[in-house]
């Protein structure tokens, strides 16, 4: 198969070739010794709760990876929050899944990191329009993974067109500085007018207003140029020119209002973090966020065998035995041995995903997003 960008093809992932070499050597060694024990293994980030919740996602891809393989898998639902203990449990002959560990952890680790950062972003401005603008920071082959994580965490939309086709959702956005340059300084009105004439009626008219002159001048010019057609302005002021960004936004708001343009929204972007968004959320109407999400650390998941041929086992520092995780009405996350009573009123969170190779769960992104936001409230997610 042609692979011009040198990415690992889906076939290699499904066939188990997208693995670390030591798993191939493990297979050779176990087959040589005639061993293939029945094991239970668990995916965990932290053994015990740490007080810091993260978002679990990527589970749909794990289900696809294991379809048709002789294993049983239980996992948290897509979008569930967790704080310690297993997020996924797999049971079967070890060689049935040994080589898939690398890809399985990759499917979970990076998307869960993106989703956790996206949730931080969402909760920084619950009432504002927040869009994912970070596709430019990742390899294009995983752009839909970023955008899906953003939607899962409740963001209102994203900018990547191909991701939109995969996720069955139209990409959004405004206009780049490149468009303004093509018309040139002094001709901003021509650029906005041409944009207004060229794009579909469903595209919001949001003028980029930080390219050549100060944000106030360009915002007023955009409002005078497009009049009632102007939906908003986007201020993407470079960090070195930003000064007091909150003050700049308030000043633009004031000047727009003073001339009767109260309906023109102010949209901000460029290096925004949950902290800066919290400082701006009462003066701006919306935000475009990229690097805070795409630069998120992967969740440090690992897969560990916890039972082998019916006996508990673990390496030093890890906890042996099959575990369960549960949520109590106070938002507590509890890790217990599966064959013991869990906490009173605790609701077990691990649910069947695969049974003897058959996928036994359905996936719906809107449901997962609802779960994520409800659970964030239940556990008091606050990074
Ligand atoms: C915006 C901003 C960042 C993009 C969005 C993502 O770009 O300057 O590069 O935001 P982030 O800083 O949170 O990652 P545009 O203004 O659309 O880009 P351009 O300068 O190319 O017009």
């Amino acid at each position: 198969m042609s692979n011009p960008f040198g990415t690992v093809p889906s076939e290699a992932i499904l066939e188990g070739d997208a693995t670390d070499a030591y798993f191939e050597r493990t297979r050779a060694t176990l087959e040589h010794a005639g061993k293939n024990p029945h094991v239970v293994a668990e995916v965990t980030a932290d053994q015990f709760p740490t007080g810091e919740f993260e978002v679990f996602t990527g589970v749909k891809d794990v289900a696809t990876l294991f379809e048709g393989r002789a294993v049983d898998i239980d996992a948290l639902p897509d979008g569930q929050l967790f704080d310690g203990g297993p997020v996924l449990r797999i049971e079967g002959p070890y060689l049935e899944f040994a080589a898939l560990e690398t890809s399985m952890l990759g499917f979970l680790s990076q998307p869960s990191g993106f989703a956790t950062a996206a949730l931080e972003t969402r909760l920084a401005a619950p009432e504002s329009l927040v869009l994912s603008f970070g596709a430019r920071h990742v390899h294009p082959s995983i752009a839909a993974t970023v955008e899906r994580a953003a939607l899962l965490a409740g963001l209102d939309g994203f900018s990547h067109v191909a991701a939109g086709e995969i996720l069955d959702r139209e990409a959004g956005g405004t206009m780049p500085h490149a468009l303004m340059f093509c018309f040139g300084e002094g001709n901003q009105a021509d650029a906005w007018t041409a944009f207004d004439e060229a794009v579909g009626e469903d595209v919001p008219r949001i003028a980029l207003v930080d390219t050549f002159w100060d944000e106030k001048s360009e915002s007023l010019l955009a409002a005078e140029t497009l009049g009632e057609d102007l939906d908003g302005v986007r201020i993407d002021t470079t960090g070195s020119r930003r000064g007091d960004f909150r003050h700049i936004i308030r000043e633009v708001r004031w000047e727009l209002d003073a001339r009767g343009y109260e309906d023109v929204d102010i949209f901000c972007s460029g290096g925004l973090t949950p902290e800066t968004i919290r400082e701006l959320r009462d003066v701006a109407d919306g935000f475009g966020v990229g690097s805070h999400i795409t630069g998120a650390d992967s969740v440090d998941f690992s897969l560990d065998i916890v039972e082998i041929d019916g006996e508990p086992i673990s390496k030093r520092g890890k906890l042996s035995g099959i575990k369960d995780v549960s949520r109590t009405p106070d938002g507590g996350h509890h890790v217990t041995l599966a064959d013991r009573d869990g906490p009173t009123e605790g609701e077990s969170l691990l649910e069947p995903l695969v049974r003897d190779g058959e996928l036994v769960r359905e996936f719906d992104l809107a449901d997962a997003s609802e779960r994520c936001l409800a659970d964030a409230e239940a556990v008091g997610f606050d990074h």
Side-chain angles (χ1 to χ4, degrees), residues 10-19 27 61-73 90-101 103-104 107 353-360:
S10 301
E11 291 80 358
I13 299 171
L14 289 167
E15 285 162 17
D17 294 336
T19 190
R27 168 179 290 281
D61 291 335
V62 171
T64 303
L65 179 63
F66 282 96
E67 218 173 342
R69 298 177 186 274
V71 294
D72 291 342
I73 303 178
I90 181 164
E91 176 167 5
Y94 181 57
L95 287 176
E96 199 63 35
F97 65 87
L100 301 177
E101 174 176 334
S103 290
M104 172 172 62
F107 276 140
L353 178 69
V354 173
R355 285 291 176 268
D356 198 19
E358 195 184 327
L359 182 54
V360 294

Side-chain angles (χ1 to χ4, degrees), residues 133 136-137 176-177 234 236 270-272 289-291:
F133 275 5
R136 63 184 61 194
H137 304 309
H177 294 94
R234 177 163 74 98
D236 185 70
L272 298 175
V289 181
S291 51

Side-chain angles (χ1 to χ4, degrees), residues 47-315:
Q47 301 295 297
F48 298 110
T50 63
E52 199 152 291
F53 280 87
E54 292 169 296
V55 180
F56 179 68
T57 192
V59 62
K60 185 169 183 262
D61 291 335
V62 171
T64 303
L65 179 63
F66 282 96
E67 218 173 342
R69 298 177 186 274
V71 294
D72 291 342
I73 303 178
D74 294 88
L76 299 185
D78 195 12
Q80 184 85 43
L81 273 68
F82 66 95
D83 174 20
V87 296
L88 182 146
R89 179 200 301 141
I90 181 164
E91 176 167 5
Y94 181 57
L95 287 176
E96 199 63 35
F97 65 87
L100 301 177
E101 174 176 334
T102 309
S103 290
M104 172 172 62
L105 295 177
F107 276 140
L108 300 173
S109 298
Q110 198 173 20
S112 295
F114 291 149
T116 302
L119 183 61
E120 293 166 359
T121 308
R122 171 72 285 170
L123 298 182
E127 309 296 328
S128 310
L129 183 78
V130 182
L131 303 179
S132 169
F133 275 5
R136 63 184 61 194
H137 304 309
V138 298
H139 194 287
S141 61
I142 66 158
T145 305
V146 172
E147 308 298 37
R148 186 183 187 280
L151 292 184
L152 177 81
L155 262 62
D156 300 293
F158 55 79
S159 61
H160 199 269
V161 174
E165 284 164 24
I166 291 168
L167 298 169
D168 197 20
R169 177 106 173 230
E170 199 165 342
T174 60
M175 60 182 65
H177 294 94
L179 176 68
M180 304 308 296
F181 298 149
C182 289
F183 284 81
E185 184 172 358
N187 303 318
Q188 292 96 317
D190 294 341
W192 299 320
T193 301
F195 181 88
D196 184 35
E197 289 168 359
V199 302
E201 279 185 12
D202 54 324
V203 176
R205 271 55 181 168
I206 299 178
L208 185 56
V209 293
D210 68 314
T211 309
F212 299 111
W213 307 339
D214 75 66
E215 296 80 352
K216 179 175 83 175
S217 311
E218 290 208 15
S219 296
L220 293 179
L221 180 61
E224 285 157 15
T225 303
L226 296 189
E228 294 213 329
D229 288 345
L230 185 69
D231 294 300
V233 294
R234 177 163 74 98
I235 306 178
D236 185 70
T237 311
T238 304
S240 62
R241 295 292 190 111
R242 203 165 266 194
D244 186 338
F245 200 36
R246 181 180 164 84
H247 188 93
I248 293 172
I249 296 163
R250 293 184 76 187
E251 182 189 352
V252 169
R253 175 79 278 151
W254 180 279
E255 300 299 337
L256 286 169
D257 290 353
R259 289 159 182 80
Y261 299 117
E262 288 94 346
D263 292 341
V264 173
D265 288 337
I266 299 178
F267 196 77
C268 305
S269 60
L272 298 175
T273 64
E275 292 70 35
T276 53
I277 290 171
R278 262 191 287 273
E279 286 165 17
L280 302 175
R281 66 186 178 191
D282 64 323
V283 293
D285 301 285
F287 303 95
V289 181
S291 51
H292 180 73
I293 297 168
T294 50
D297 288 341
S298 291
V299 176
D300 189 12
F301 284 128
S302 62
L303 180 74
D304 295 284
I305 293 175
V306 296
E307 188 179 282
I308 194 155
D309 290 330
E311 294 297 322
I313 197 165
S314 70
K315 67 178 269 189

